[in-house]
Amino acid sequence: MQEQYHFSQLETKWQKDWERQELDQVAEDFEREKYYLLEMFPYPSGHLHMGHVRNYSIGDVVARFKKMEGYNVLHPMGWDSFGLPAENAAIKNRVPAALWTKDNIVNMKKQLKTMGLSYDWEREVATSDPDYYKWTQWLFLEFYKKGLAYKKKAAVNWCPSCATVLANEQVVEGACERCETLVDKKDLEQWFFKITDYADRLLEDLQQLPGWPEKVKIMQENWIGRSEGAEICFKTEAGHDLKVFTTRPDTIFGVSYMVLAPEHPLVSELVADTEYEEPVHAFIKKVKSMTNIERAETEKEGLFIGAYAINPLSGDKIPIWVANYVLMDYGTGMVMGVPAHDQRDFEFATKFQLPIKVVIQPDGDLLEGNKLTEAFPAEGRLVNSGRYDGLPNEQAIQKITRDLEQKGLGEKQIQYRLRDWLISRQRYWGTPIPIVYCEKCGVVPVPAKDLPVILPIQVAFKPSGESPLKTNGEFLNCTCPNCGGEATRETDTMDTFVDSSWYFLRYTDAKNAVAPFDREKADYWMNVDQYIGGVEHAILHLMYARFFTKVLFDLKLTSAQEPFQNLLTQGMVLKDGAKMSKSKGNVVSPEEIIEQYGADTARLFILFAAPPERDLEWNEKGVEGCFRFLNRVWRLSYYYHEKIKNISPGEVTKNELDKELLRSIHGAIKKVTDDVRLRFNFNTAISAIMELINTLQKYRDHTNVKSENLPLVRFGLENTVLLLAPFAPHIADELWSNLGKKTSVHLEAWPKYDEKALELAEVTMVVQINGKVRERLNFPKDLPEPQLKELVLETEKIKQLLQGKEITKFIIVPNKLINLVV
RNA sequence: GCGAGUGUGGCGGAACUGGCAGACGCGCUAGACUUAGGAUCUAGUGGGUAACACCGUGGGGGUUCAAGUCCCUUCACUCGCACCA
């Protein structure tokens, strides 16, 4: 054994050895219990960043731990390799996007390998690989057959900088999620996935995911945004239908105006050839020119458009307005204004002096419309509502909805905030949408046998960044699969979120050439037992992946209804309180750290510095601390190396020091096991291993050749190495082989602890007086109460402190604490 | 505005069902070894005090023999959504 810890040569050696032994390759084994551990696959930017290191270190600990616990562990890795950066690089450097991507994958894979991660690389996938996107296209066609993929013209979000449309989910505060350019609205023909058909199931099934963070579930819930109410049909005087959605049909007698969204087509019709036409159109133009955020931030504005509606229940004649606060893409793009019971309507009505009519009275004080300072949205009884007066409002909701239904003027309805998923992108580097346009036959899906529709590699980019597929004759022109006539291909590609919505299924059968995956294999491995990644994917990726899984379930391709059983959202890696980023200049490169300290130290620090869900502050000194720790482990092993070479481990104790050591060994096993298995508290698990090393060191320093119990030391060192194995796999394997072991430590069973060894014959109890600690005393374990009492009261210090005081209560927490109340 | 979360030494963080606040690591102080130390080892390290006492988990109040932990209230910060009818 070498005296020094030479991490670099040792890490390379073991990485090669593991690869040679195919230690991390797995196959279905229906006899054994499986565990599918997945970390979010990276975009191959070419360089690993600390966020990746954190993500994959966490995952690797769990994977290695579960393997040692005896599970058949699937732990795959791949590449989310379609996307804009490759295209930008292609334009800038005149390198084909495919080549750039491939180089990056090679580079990043090399970096990942230096971390010593236990991936089954035989299952590697890259979404930009034709063997992969063939099946993405195939799935698109299955969606199409089921009516879940459709094309429509719609006002869509357009990012002028990326020159493409974006899904609603990709617009953050009115700007492109990627480049932060403000998005425009454009009317375009686009492909959508009908995710709204699954809104209810996506919402409902969140309840079946107790292993997901509450925060993520709430975010998804809000995003789906289900609300129950009714659609009510008002009529204009001229007989047009004015359908509105409301959650408060009980307030219908309080309607004092109707409002339409400026984009609503009916507006033009209603003002045509009237004196209102000009001002209304000017108003609409003004509103449309604003971005969504500007519009949300401006005060409520609106105009009367000269028309009236009739309230279907009260018969009241109600003015119709157009206003900037009504949104075209929610509900029917039209709202009934009830100022007394809706804050927005209240603000609007106050500004434009529209009547405020109270129709819900709370118990107690009496509300008057002209005296209100804000709307009253809460519960109460109906007033000024004809025959509904006196009803509690919840009952009124039911009754009014029913009555309207009978008249054919309304119905119960559930609205969702969730929109259909816009998947077309006017970009080159993505999965081509397998559709052909034929003049005779119209929209024709590419037959499955003709897949994949190959993305050409050598393409000519224009400086504008427009998709080169549009001008690539070889790609564009084809024959119609239906009639054999001339046809053109769809030149839009799919949102890259489509690619990543099913990759976890492909891993279960990554090389399948005849299907996206084999159902039996997928059924063995699914669901993913533990998914690990950043919270930034809480809505987009996680919702889309759930949607895909449900569709695939309905298509009978899998029996999984949810993709991810448990979800761990890891915190960010910060430096100087801010997220590491090139622009801030606070990036610490994982490569350099690994070179300087080794992968084991890097992994250890990142796991030790904070619990996984919290943000982690990078600290060079802390890294050194972890490096020192591994050196301490090394030196201790070196010290005992020759002594215990030919000795078997043993648990026989001869004195107090031995007993203390044995207890600490079992204590560490228990702590690490519980922290990893139950809580993912790797930071405290590592600190427990540190404590064990501290105890072993103390043992070394307090014993001499005569008194040292070498079998026990060996037992301690073997267990230390076993406990360390998931966290610092290289040094662990090296130390394991130094202990004379012939096979990898990673093939060993996880150590078990003995409850009995943890028990103490004597316990130190705290003696409190009125809740303040006054003394610590040693007693035999489980001493009966009367004896304990007697012994405590006989103690000198306690006697003194109790002088002249009367004990009113004597509280005992067994083996822990005594509290005397005086 | 709505929803969620976080506040503990100089710093990162421990404290499981209410039961010794500050494990472990960093930093700092002193010492040992040493030509040297940015290596290693030993001791110490919440504030306060000569030593006790006493004070300490964002602030205020409460429940309890006992509160970082439970309840009420308030402040600060972080994240998500945001005119969703």
Side-chain angles (χ1 to χ4, degrees):
Chain A
M1 179 178 183
Q2 290 185 308
E3 188 173 354
Q4 301 288 319
Y5 167 43
H6 295 293
F7 60 85
S8 177
Q9 70 180 62
L10 168 170
E11 290 185 353
T12 318
K13 176 181 117 189
W14 285 106
Q15 282 158 19
K16 279 191 190 143
D17 195 67
W18 298 333
E19 206 167 316
R20 183 183 56 73
Q21 290 189 57
E22 299 181 359
L23 217 57
D24 301 311
Q25 290 178 28
V26 278
E28 297 70 46
D29 177 348
F30 295 88
E31 302 296 303
R32 269 167 80 202
E33 201 175 336
K34 64 89 189 182
Y35 190 88
Y36 186 176
L37 177 85
L38 185 63
E39 299 125 46
M40 292 180 182
F41 65 166
Y43 176 79
S45 62
H47 296 277
L48 221 54
H49 58 68
M50 279 302 171
H52 293 129
V53 175
R54 189 174 196 194
N55 195 172
Y56 307 144
S57 297
I58 293 168
D60 202 48
V61 172
V62 179
R64 290 183 184 275
F65 173 75
K66 288 290 170 186
K67 269 183 208 175
M68 289 176 83
E69 279 207 311
Y71 291 91
N72 191 26
V73 175
L74 175 57
H75 187 209
M77 182 41 79
W79 312 97
D80 189 12
S81 49
F82 271 136
L84 215 40
E87 220 168 309
N88 292 336
I91 295 167
K92 208 173 140 197
N93 309 330
R94 303 186 170 273
V95 191
L99 197 67
W100 184 85
T101 304
K102 197 165 229 159
D103 284 350
N104 283 349
I105 288 176
V106 168
N107 202 20
M108 274 180 94
K109 191 168 168 181
K110 203 160 71 193
Q111 290 180 28
L112 282 180
K113 288 200 168 178
T114 64
M115 284 184 64
L117 303 164
S118 60
Y119 295 126
D120 180 357
W121 285 106
E122 290 300 302
R123 293 169 185 266
E124 178 179 4
V125 304
T127 57
S128 61
D129 191 333
D131 290 341
Y132 184 89
Y133 70 68
K134 171 181 180 177
W135 300 111
T136 309
Q137 291 173 337
W138 186 87
L139 288 169
F140 174 92
L141 294 172
E142 292 295 306
F143 277 48
Y144 183 76
K145 275 189 233 161
K146 271 228 147 190
L148 291 168
Y150 67 96
K151 202 174 189 190
K152 75 168 179 199
K153 190 166 186 173
V156 295
N157 306 301
W158 176 263
C159 173
S161 163
C162 299
T164 187
V165 298
L166 301 170
N168 270 346
E169 288 85 345
Q170 288 164 322
V171 180
V172 178
E173 289 180 11
C176 172
E177 177 194 48
R178 231 197 146 78
C179 65
E180 293 177 17
T181 312
L182 286 182
V183 303
D184 297 337
K185 288 269 173 191
K186 265 197 177 181
D187 275 325
L188 289 172
E189 278 264 313
Q190 300 285 299
W191 286 97
F192 289 84
F193 280 159
K194 221 162 190 288
I195 193 171
T196 50
D197 272 10
Y198 285 75
D200 233 347
R201 275 164 72 187
L202 288 168
L203 184 67
E204 276 296 300
D205 291 354
L206 285 173
Q207 288 170 18
Q208 292 170 28
L209 298 172
W212 279 40
E214 214 49 41
K215 178 193 166 87
V216 174
K217 286 193 276 186
I218 289 168
M219 278 164 75
Q220 293 215 350
E221 226 174 274
N222 292 341
W223 194 263
I224 296 166
R226 180 191 145 105
S227 58
E228 256 176 72
E231 189 173 272
I232 301 175
C233 187
F234 287 61
K235 299 242 185 226
T236 64
E237 284 182 311
H240 298 93
D241 281 356
L242 295 177
K243 284 186 177 159
V244 298
F245 173 74
T246 179
T247 53
R248 297 294 302 272
D250 54 323
T251 63
I252 189 166
F253 283 80
V255 176
S256 56
Y257 63 100
M258 304 290 289
V259 224
L260 278 69
E263 297 88 347
H264 203 291
L266 205 55
V267 178
S268 297
E269 203 178 313
L270 290 172
V271 295
D273 304 320
T274 70
E275 53 182 299
Y276 295 94
E277 187 164 14
E278 211 190 297
V280 166
H281 278 289
F283 175 74
I284 292 171
K285 204 177 157 195
K286 191 176 126 200
V287 175
K288 276 189 172 173
S289 73
M290 283 193 256
T291 65
N292 285 349
I293 349 166
E294 281 174 339
R295 179 166 166 182
E297 279 167 2
T298 44
E299 207 180 314
K300 291 183 177 48
E301 280 181 60
L303 276 183
F304 175 53
I305 65 167
Y308 290 89
I310 302 300
N311 187 317
L313 288 186
S314 69
D316 289 349
K317 183 175 160 188
I318 313 161
I320 303 173
W321 288 59
V322 55
N324 61 352
Y325 77 98
V326 179
L327 308 173
M328 189 56 215
D329 58 3
Y330 184 78
T332 59
M334 204 186 290
V335 170
M336 60 183 216
V338 187
H341 305 291
D342 181 282
Q343 187 57 25
R344 293 155 304 185
D345 297 346
F346 180 84
E347 285 162 21
F348 191 76
T350 311
K351 181 166 175 184
F352 294 100
Q353 283 154 23
L354 290 156
I356 298 173
K357 183 180 168 193
V358 172
V359 290
I360 308 284
Q361 282 291 359
D363 290 340
D365 41 31
L366 202 69
L367 301 178
E368 287 176 63
N370 53 7
K371 287 187 186 155
L372 284 179
T373 56
E374 58 178 4
F376 174 76
E379 313 277 282
R381 282 175 190 276
L382 270 66
V383 293
N384 301 320
S385 298
R387 60 199 189 86
Y388 302 100
D389 280 358
L391 276 180
N393 71 309
E394 291 139 87
Q395 279 178 39
I397 289 174
Q398 304 306 323
K399 190 151 173 44
I400 289 174
T401 307
R402 263 202 311 274
D403 290 356
L404 284 166
E405 248 166 44
Q406 272 167 16
K407 293 187 183 179
L409 290 171
E411 58 182 344
K412 245 189 166 161
Q413 209 182 60
I414 294 163
Q415 275 289 336
Y416 296 95
R417 219 185 66 116
L418 185 72
R419 296 281 94 89
D420 273 344
W421 176 12
L422 168 62
I423 61 148
S424 317
R425 294 293 178 275
Q426 290 66 50
R427 304 300 325 179
Y428 154 68
W429 191 237
T431 304
I433 294 174
I435 290 286
V436 161
Y437 300 103
C438 169
E439 262 185 45
K440 263 202 299 193
C441 313
V443 178
V444 183
V446 174
K449 66 173 174 54
D450 295 343
L451 295 180
V453 174
I454 292 276
L455 194 64
I457 303 286
Q458 296 290 347
V459 288
F461 280 96
K462 288 190 175 166
S464 64
E466 194 187 48
S467 170
L469 295 181
K470 287 185 185 161
T471 50
N472 185 305
E474 229 173 288
F475 176 82
L476 190 63
N477 301 314
C478 62
T479 52
C480 170
N482 232 1
C483 68
E486 277 183 23
T488 54
R489 288 193 188 283
E490 170 67 67
T491 56
D492 282 358
T493 54
M494 292 185 222
D495 181 3
T496 56
F497 277 107
V498 178
D499 308 325
S500 56
S501 292
W502 71 281
Y503 77 112
F504 44 90
L505 284 157
R506 182 68 180 173
Y507 281 141
T508 66
D509 190 15
K511 289 181 174 158
N512 196 323
V514 298
F517 50 86
D518 176 73
R519 178 169 172 158
E520 202 182 331
K521 288 182 179 174
D523 282 355
Y524 173 71
W525 290 113
M526 288 295 281
N527 304 353
V528 171
D529 292 274
Q530 183 66 53
Y531 197 32
I532 307 172
V535 228
E536 64 271 21
H537 295 108
I539 298 174
L540 298 170
H541 166 58
L542 291 171
M543 179 93 78
Y544 294 149
R546 294 182 62 222
F547 165 58
F548 254 67
T549 305
K550 289 180 190 307
V551 175
L552 265 51
F553 173 83
D554 290 349
L555 290 168
K556 305 213 161 37
L557 292 169
T558 170
S559 49
Q561 299 217 43
E562 282 288 337
F564 314 122
Q565 207 55 49
N566 295 288
L567 175 69
L568 177 72
T569 52
Q570 113 232 4
M572 287 187 295
V573 182
L574 310 177
K575 178 83 198 294
D576 309 319
K579 188 179 179 173
M580 284 187 186
S581 75
K582 274 187 203 144
S583 58
K584 290 194 193 91
N586 61 349
V587 178
V588 179
S589 138
E591 263 176 301
E592 283 170 31
I593 295 294
I594 290 172
E595 200 173 314
Q596 199 178 345
Y597 299 99
D600 283 341
T601 296
R603 294 168 53 128
L604 206 62
F605 168 72
I606 219 160
L607 294 163
F608 177 64
E613 306 216 56
R614 251 199 259 185
D615 286 350
L616 179 151
E617 175 73 30
W618 185 266
N619 178 343
E620 189 82 29
K621 290 284 184 191
V623 180
E624 276 172 30
C626 288
F627 184 61
R628 279 205 287 270
F629 165 66
L630 289 181
N631 275 289
R632 276 210 314 278
V633 177
W634 185 273
R635 278 197 304 274
L636 193 73
S637 305
Y638 181 76
Y639 175 84
Y640 282 116
H641 180 63
E642 288 298 327
K643 294 180 184 234
I644 59 173
K645 220 170 161 183
N646 301 312
I647 281 180
S648 301
E651 293 184 66
V652 178
T653 57
K654 295 180 203 142
N655 51 39
E656 264 316 302
L657 210 56
D658 283 4
K659 277 187 196 148
E660 196 191 318
L661 178 56
L662 184 68
R663 246 196 326 274
S664 317
I665 296 166
H666 285 281
I669 299 172
K670 180 177 163 66
K671 178 76 178 148
V672 176
T673 307
D674 290 352
D675 277 350
V676 176
R677 187 196 285 149
L678 310 174
R679 295 183 276 270
F680 291 163
N681 283 352
F682 309 119
N683 54 332
T684 48
I686 291 167
S687 73
I689 304 174
M690 289 174 169
E691 281 180 88
L692 176 57
I693 282 293
N694 292 345
T695 312
L696 277 160
Q697 241 169 22
K698 210 162 89 190
Y699 186 86
R700 179 193 61 191
D701 297 341
H702 290 265
T703 51
N704 52 40
V705 181
K706 263 194 220 155
S707 65
E708 63 191 358
N709 181 342
L710 291 175
L712 183 62
V713 168
R714 182 165 181 119
F715 180 71
L717 283 172
E718 285 194 4
N719 277 296
T720 306
V721 174
L722 288 166
L723 294 179
L724 205 55
F727 303 96
H730 309 88
I731 193 176
D733 231 351
E734 179 72 16
L735 294 175
W736 194 246
S737 87
N738 283 337
L739 284 164
K741 306 284 186 178
K742 298 285 174 252
T743 52
S744 171
V745 70
H746 303 293
L747 294 169
E748 294 295 318
W750 187 251
K752 297 213 170 6
Y753 59 89
D754 181 359
E755 281 293 348
K756 264 190 244 146
L758 291 172
E759 283 177 10
L760 288 156
E762 200 173 59
V763 290
T764 304
M765 291 184 75
V766 171
V767 183
Q768 298 181 332
I769 294 174
N770 286 344
K772 299 210 174 198
V773 180
R774 295 296 154 176
E775 183 63 301
R776 271 155 235 268
L777 298 171
N778 288 333
F779 298 110
K781 197 168 184 278
D782 299 323
L783 193 68
E785 196 177 320
Q787 287 174 48
L788 197 61
K789 229 174 187 170
E790 202 178 311
L791 284 168
V792 168
L793 295 176
E794 272 172 15
T795 314
E796 267 315 307
K797 191 166 174 195
I798 299 297
K799 259 193 206 162
Q800 271 175 32
L801 288 163
L802 286 177
Q803 254 171 16
K805 289 173 183 138
E806 194 189 331
I807 297 174
T808 54
K809 246 183 184 177
F810 199 96
I811 291 154
I812 297 174
V813 182
N815 298 321
K816 264 193 185 162
L817 173 145
I818 297 152
N819 191 11
L820 307 174
V821 186
V822 297

